[in-house]
Amino acid sequence: TIAAGGDWDATGGTVIISDSTVTFDSAATGNTILSGTTSFYDIVLNDGAANSGDWTISDNLIASNSFPVTATNSTGVDLAGFDLDVGGNFVIAANGTVTASNSSITVSGNWDSLNGTFNYNTSTVRLTGTGSVQAEQPGWMLRFYRLDLAQDGNTTTLSNSFGVNQL
């Protein structure tokens, strides 16, 4: 496990993370994550226990297993138009926020933003594996701009009702 209390810049060398968890945990605002060529296993984003931390992604980001956003301030995690590829589950917990801008988010496992906030803007969410979708409620409010469901041979289970601009 690696704990990062602020910015992450992996452009100056090689970071081999293997099957480890990198936890970004900061109460400060204005943090950036620049992965360079680093492929993460688990990325956890937390707020330093004060609902005040936030991060801006500065290049395309890969989490080969999971991407839980446990808690952030209202700005949260801004993908800033960069793509996010998650090999497992994408989770936004009760105090978490993710802003997608015009990013493409590919998830091979489950999508769970039921208790958190997902600001979809003009993003595309692609669910490529077998998994389920739980999105914020209530009812048929728009929760995705564009949603692509499971590829051939896989199943996406919709666990509650939500609106989609483009399917």
Side-chain angles (χ1 to χ4, degrees):
T1 299
I2 300 170
D7 295 332
W8 178 281
D9 184 345
T11 58
T14 302
V15 179
I16 300 173
I17 296 178
S18 299
D19 293 345
S20 296
T21 299
V22 176
T23 300
F24 295 94
D25 193 5
S26 177
T29 59
N31 298 300
T32 59
I33 300 172
L34 182 58
S35 66
T37 58
T38 301
S39 178
F40 296 90
Y41 184 70
D42 289 319
I43 301 173
V44 177
L45 293 119
N46 199 10
D47 67 351
N51 288 343
S52 59
D54 67 36
W55 292 265
T56 299
I57 306 304
S58 298
D59 61 354
N60 294 336
L61 192 59
I62 297 171
S64 62
N65 189 48
S66 68
F67 188 84
V69 178
T70 57
T72 62
N73 69 8
S74 61
T75 303
V77 178
D78 185 356
L79 299 179
F82 292 102
D83 295 341
L84 174 63
D85 188 357
V86 181
N89 299 328
F90 177 95
V91 178
I92 307 173
N95 291 321
T97 300
V98 173
T99 299
S101 303
N102 61 340
S103 300
S104 176
I105 303 169
T106 302
V107 177
S108 297
N110 298 317
W111 175 283
D112 183 353
S113 60
L114 183 63
N115 296 309
T117 302
F118 178 62
N119 299 316
Y120 56 86
N121 298 319
T122 59
S123 64
T124 298
V125 174
R126 289 184 179 88
L127 304 173
T128 58
T130 294
S132 65
V133 176
Q134 294 188 69
E136 305 156 84
Q137 306 237 2
W140 291 100
M141 291 181 65
L142 201 57
R143 296 300 171 204
F144 295 97
Y145 182 76
R146 179 174 176 172
L147 179 62
D148 295 341
L149 300 177
Q151 295 177 341
D152 289 345
N154 294 306
T155 303
T156 300
T157 303
L158 306 178
S159 299
N160 60 327
S161 57
F162 53 85
V164 177
N165 190 47
Q166 295 179 18
L167 185 61

